[in-house]
Amino acid sequence: MENLGQIKISNDVIQTIAGYAAMEIEGIDKTTSFTDKLLGNHGIEVKIDSDKAVIDVNLSVIHGEVIPEICYKVQENIINAVETMAGLKVSQVNVHVASVEVKKEREKKDNEK
């Protein structure tokens, strides 16, 4: 490929890609307040060192989900999305489960059964 100049992708763009990738996983809390925080990039930190990204994600998992499985899926999806969309290698995705969300609507539906 011919060198036409530099391409620089802002850390904010990487954070947004990672946020949307995390939100695609079932079992992640998708309530409005948490989604606003995550997609507003307050729940994601990106560090780029030697052309590789280290991404830290703070998540809330829905009560009853198997946390390690959810986190692994989040890691895979973020790596795939960032590497595909931005062409940036991801060396690590560190997932921090900040809380477990008990959904009142889910409990209400379960009680109605």
Side-chain angles (χ1 to χ4, degrees), residues 46-75:
V46 175
K47 296 176 191 164
I48 299 174
D49 187 32
S50 303
D51 296 329
K52 289 185 182 178
V54 175
I55 301 171
D56 286 275
V57 183
N58 295 299
L59 297 176
S60 179
V61 175
I62 296 172
H63 181 266
E65 297 290 340
V66 179
I67 294 173
E69 288 178 15
I70 298 296
C71 293
Y72 181 73
K73 290 176 184 177
V74 167
Q75 289 171 317

Side-chain angles (χ1 to χ4, degrees), residues 4 18 20 25 28 36 44 66-69 74 79 87 98-99:
L4 302 175
Y20 277 105
I25 303 303
I28 297 299
D36 289 347
I44 301 173
V66 179
I67 294 173
E69 288 178 15
V74 167
I79 290 169
S99 64

Side-chain angles (χ1 to χ4, degrees), residues 30-45:
K30 295 180 179 93
T31 57
T32 304
S33 61
F34 185 75
T35 303
D36 289 347
K37 178 181 175 184
L38 185 63
L39 298 180
N41 299 331
H42 301 292
I44 301 173
E45 184 178 331

Side-chain angles (χ1 to χ4, degrees), residues 92-110:
Q92 290 182 8
V93 175
N94 301 308
V95 179
H96 308 277
V97 179
S99 64
V100 174
E101 182 65 30
V102 178
K103 294 212 173 202
K104 292 180 184 177
E105 292 176 1
R106 178 179 276 179
E107 290 175 0
K108 196 182 256 187
K109 286 179 185 177
D110 289 345

